[in-house]
Amino acid sequence: MVTAFVLIQTDASRIPESAQEISEIEGISEVYSVTGEWDLIAVARVTKHEDLADVIADRLSKVQGVQATTTHIAFRAYSQHDLDAAFSLGFDH
């Protein structure tokens, strides 16, 4: 499982609509509206690194209102919630 955090700047008038559209993309598990420099943070979870290109570059970045993104790929999960989820999917650690 590959997890990435996508920081997203959007047109301020479309934040809720953009967030909703992004949340409906297969491979996006969560979308949060946040304070600060970025408007939204999306969590992408895919099975292969190559799938990130489809989810982020080919789909998320083309949502109306999205102006810029920065992606951070996670190396390792330390929270129990993420570890439990990985084991329930049958992944080896």
Side-chain angles (χ1 to χ4, degrees):
M1 174 76 56
V2 178
T3 301
F5 300 92
V6 186
L7 288 65
I8 306 162
Q9 289 179 333
T10 64
D11 178 332
S13 68
R14 285 202 40 85
I15 292 172
E17 294 84 0
S18 295
Q20 183 61 44
E21 289 179 45
I22 292 167
S23 73
E24 294 170 1
I25 296 172
E26 185 176 345
I28 299 294
S29 62
E30 302 157 65
V31 179
Y32 299 93
S33 60
V34 295
T35 61
E37 180 180 350
W38 301 93
D39 301 307
L40 301 169
I41 297 178
V43 180
R45 289 190 167 90
V46 295
T47 54
K48 301 180 307 210
H49 185 271
E50 296 80 18
D51 293 337
L52 288 175
D54 177 54
V55 171
I56 298 167
D58 295 340
R59 299 185 67 205
L60 186 151
S61 67
K62 294 178 181 167
V63 167
Q64 184 179 353
V66 171
Q67 298 173 336
T69 63
T70 297
T71 302
H72 297 270
I73 299 172
F75 290 132
R76 187 173 289 143
Y78 294 97
S79 72
Q80 191 61 43
H81 174 268
D82 288 342
L83 295 173
D84 289 344
F87 287 121
S88 71
L89 295 173
F91 289 101
D92 295 326
H93 68 264

